[in-house]
Amino acid sequence: MQPAEIPHLTLVLGGARSGKSRHAEALIEAQPAPWTYIATAQAYDDEMRDRIAEHRARRPAGWQTVDAPLDLAEAIAAQPAGRPILVDCLTLWLTNLILAERDTAAAREALIAACERASAPLVLVGNEVGLGIVPENALARRFRDEAGRLHQALAARAASVVFMVAGLPMRVK
């Protein structure tokens, strides 16, 4: 049986607990192993440590995890040629950049360039945060706006964009 073909770049968006990560993992696992899981989360508290442990526990053998809370473009570029890559999650990465006072526009451009150079299927996961009310503080508004810019830039280049709702994938592009 041949593996299902997936596009070079797929963007999977959705709300919290919408099934984004599971869907993205299934897309990558349809390719021959080994696979790379680039994780951007940082475990600052017990609840986040539990979330990270849950994600790791459900992945079968064949996954190599690379932690890249800030240097995502470099982590993508460092992967072996031909190895399918999953990045989870763009919005946690963006949070890390903002809190570290990094240049988000430069990081976004570096990420886009790394995605374009990747030699294997690449699936990116991000939280869609722009569907709610306008946040009351400047930092939250900046985050929402930066996430929107990041997702738009990646969606424009992606061959496939999926929006997850209640565990169901809705093909957008």
Side-chain angles (χ1 to χ4, degrees):
M1 185 170 168
Q2 294 285 33
E5 288 291 320
I6 62 172
H8 175 74
L9 181 59
T10 299
L11 179 61
V12 179
L13 299 172
R17 294 289 184 210
S18 63
K20 300 178 304 292
S21 295
R22 286 184 190 268
H23 182 73
E25 290 164 5
L27 291 173
I28 292 292
E29 288 171 358
Q31 306 305 299
W35 314 288
T36 297
Y37 193 107
I38 300 179
T40 64
Q42 297 184 83
Y44 290 121
D45 58 32
D46 289 340
E47 187 268 339
M48 191 54 128
R49 277 187 279 283
D50 290 345
R51 283 178 180 263
I52 292 169
E54 177 187 325
H55 273 246
R56 285 181 187 250
R58 76 167 178 243
R59 293 195 297 266
W63 284 98
Q64 173 198 0
T65 301
V66 174
D67 291 312
L70 293 167
D71 299 320
L72 183 53
E74 293 84 351
I76 291 169
Q79 296 313 300
R83 181 179 292 176
I85 302 168
L86 181 139
V87 173
D88 197 357
C89 125
L90 295 171
T91 42
L92 284 175
W93 171 69
L94 182 60
T95 298
N96 298 338
L97 291 175
I98 291 171
L99 294 177
E101 298 182 358
R102 296 273 187 104
D103 182 342
T104 56
R108 180 176 60 241
E109 292 309 312
L111 173 61
I112 289 166
C115 290
E116 290 173 346
R117 288 190 304 268
S119 67
L122 177 59
V123 177
L124 309 173
V125 175
N127 288 291
E128 179 50 63
V129 297
L131 297 174
I133 62 172
V134 175
E136 69 177 33
N137 68 73
L139 179 60
R141 286 190 300 274
R142 177 179 176 215
F143 171 75
R144 182 216 42 209
D145 293 348
E146 291 285 355
R149 283 190 276 276
L150 175 64
H151 293 157
Q152 285 185 47
L154 291 167
R157 289 159 178 86
S160 175
V161 177
V162 176
F163 187 70
M164 296 297 298
V165 177
L168 301 173
M170 296 176 27
R171 182 160 303 284
V172 177
K173 177 181 177 185

